Amino acid sequence: MMTRRTLIAAGVAAAAAPALGTTGVLLPGVRIRPDRAAMVAVPGGRVYVRINGDLAGTRPPIVLLHGGPGSAHWYFLNATALAGDRAVILYDQLDSGRSDTPGDPANWQVARFVAELEAVRAALGVARWHVLGASWGGTVALEYAARRPAALAGLVLQSPLVSTEVWLRDARILKDAMPPAVRDLLDRCDTPAAAPAADCDAATDAFNARHVRMRAPPSEVAAYKAALPRSFSPDIYNHMWGRAEFTATGTLRSYDGRPLLARLDGRRTLFVAGEHDEARPETVRGFAAAVPGGADFAMVADAAHSVMNDNPAAFLAVLRPWLAARDRRAVSDAIS
């Protein structure tokens, strides 16, 4: 029997991204298990940190900051394919994934998450590293980099939340481009009890399949995710962002990091967006242009917001040479 939910899903299928319903790939060289893992003390508790590769290697390691707020590190596993070049550090922010869960909203502040990142670096004894932040993780990375820490070799902001106002503006543009039935439902679903929950789920799934994650994780990553104590923490998300993706009612509702762009070093900064990203490529390119001297920008084709999940090979094809060039620049700067 064709229910309203299946009608909605069917109605958007033809308009969704071409890869809708497919499964992502696991890249050669990916390391599902860490070479080393630890619980690291940070302000407010301890966070789970895993490392693949040699922290004492000749190239600076890269640390990747997950989104949410309240997601976990699992969707960065394809990045461990870089571990033959440099150490790859993944960690779960406090109250997420395998980290401690004090559940205290006092910890859910931007400044504390920035301090958490620095605490991880200090605990690992890393003198210099590359920082990659995705989505909300890009907010933390932006705030960190704007302080011009001496440890920062390179900054990658993938689909970052730079301004809530801009984020919601982009969401409105993308929502308006959805099939009318889905668009209208998404508008109604911003108000609790305005539409049946099953209908809201179907409409949200249709939007997400087009602009958030186009592909299901490969089986190895899906199994890793399923084994986590938490792969998503709605309490943090609801407190900091709000109940719905398209309406910010939490503590980030007035967030505006655009002034921080002027403090970045364009020579060491790369912005990335997926072709179908909810952080629209046009917007992310504009953020790169706002950095003094201009930062680099790359659009990853055939990917939505979850770039490392949707097209990891293309993402790493951008990252490898870019990071290597920053490594050489760091050496040159040290000599001079």
Side-chain angles (χ1 to χ4, degrees):
M1 179 177 179
M2 183 69 78
T3 65
R4 183 175 180 186
R5 177 169 181 166
T6 55
L7 277 169
I8 291 168
V12 74
L20 180 64
T22 61
T23 300
V25 301
L26 194 72
L27 296 180
V30 164
R31 307 182 189 186
I32 297 296
R33 295 182 180 276
D35 296 332
R36 170 185 166 194
M39 296 295 290
V40 170
V42 301
R46 300 176 308 156
V47 299
Y48 172 80
V49 180
R50 54 167 285 170
I51 302 108
N52 288 103
D54 184 4
L55 281 178
T58 58
R59 296 181 177 183
I62 183 170
V63 60
L64 293 90
L65 285 67
H66 67 72
S71 189
H73 72 274
W74 64 270
Y75 60 85
F76 282 139
L77 285 179
N78 264 313
T80 63
L82 294 170
D85 299 336
R86 68 185 71 247
V88 176
I89 303 165
L90 308 180
Y91 76 93
D92 291 322
Q93 296 157 20
L94 194 66
D95 284 300
S96 299
R98 296 186 182 279
S99 293
D100 285 348
T101 56
D104 184 356
N107 289 322
W108 303 339
Q109 305 289 334
V110 173
R112 196 214 60 83
F113 285 104
V114 177
E116 177 182 270
L117 174 61
E118 175 58 19
V120 169
R121 185 199 65 78
L124 297 181
V126 173
R128 195 166 177 81
W129 64 359
H130 299 286
V131 175
L132 186 156
S135 194
W136 145 254
T139 310
V140 179
L142 170 63
E143 295 270 348
Y144 176 79
R147 303 179 184 191
R148 293 289 188 108
L152 187 62
L155 171 69
V156 182
L157 298 176
Q158 182 247 298
S159 318
L161 168 65
V162 173
S163 159
T164 298
E165 176 188 356
V166 173
W167 188 276
L168 294 177
R169 185 188 308 153
D170 278 359
R172 181 77 256 178
I173 291 170
L174 296 176
K175 184 161 62 168
D176 285 347
M178 296 295 290
V182 177
R183 178 199 63 215
D184 294 345
L185 254 179
L186 289 172
D187 283 339
R188 290 169 57 200
C189 292
D190 277 346
T191 303
D199 289 354
C200 292
D201 289 344
T204 300
D205 289 348
F207 180 89
N208 289 347
R210 192 170 184 177
H211 296 297
V212 179
R213 189 174 72 229
M214 292 165 50
R215 294 174 172 83
S219 58
E220 298 91 340
V221 175
Y224 184 93
K225 174 186 177 184
L228 293 174
R230 295 164 304 281
S231 60
F232 181 70
S233 302
D235 47 353
I236 307 174
Y237 181 86
N238 293 341
H239 179 85
M240 297 190 72
W241 183 258
R243 188 189 61 83
E245 183 74 8
F246 305 102
T247 305
T249 57
T251 57
L252 290 171
R253 63 186 177 276
S254 300
Y255 180 78
D256 189 359
R258 284 174 290 185
L260 300 181
L261 297 173
R263 304 184 195 173
L264 301 182
D265 181 351
R267 302 168 302 166
R268 303 183 192 277
T269 304
L270 169 66
F271 286 79
V272 177
E275 180 183 6
H276 306 287
D277 210 316
E278 63 177 331
R280 297 194 309 138
E282 301 92 324
T283 297
V284 178
R285 186 191 298 272
F287 292 146
V291 175
D296 292 327
F297 170 78
M299 185 184 76
V300 176
D302 198 21
H305 192 56
S306 300
V307 181
M308 192 67 79
N309 177 82
D310 288 343
N311 198 345
F315 194 3
L316 294 195
V318 170
L319 283 180
R320 286 184 192 274
W322 191 88
L323 293 172
R326 286 345 92 176
D327 294 342
R328 290 192 295 271
R329 174 163 285 167
V331 171
S332 175
D333 289 351
I335 293 173
S336 61

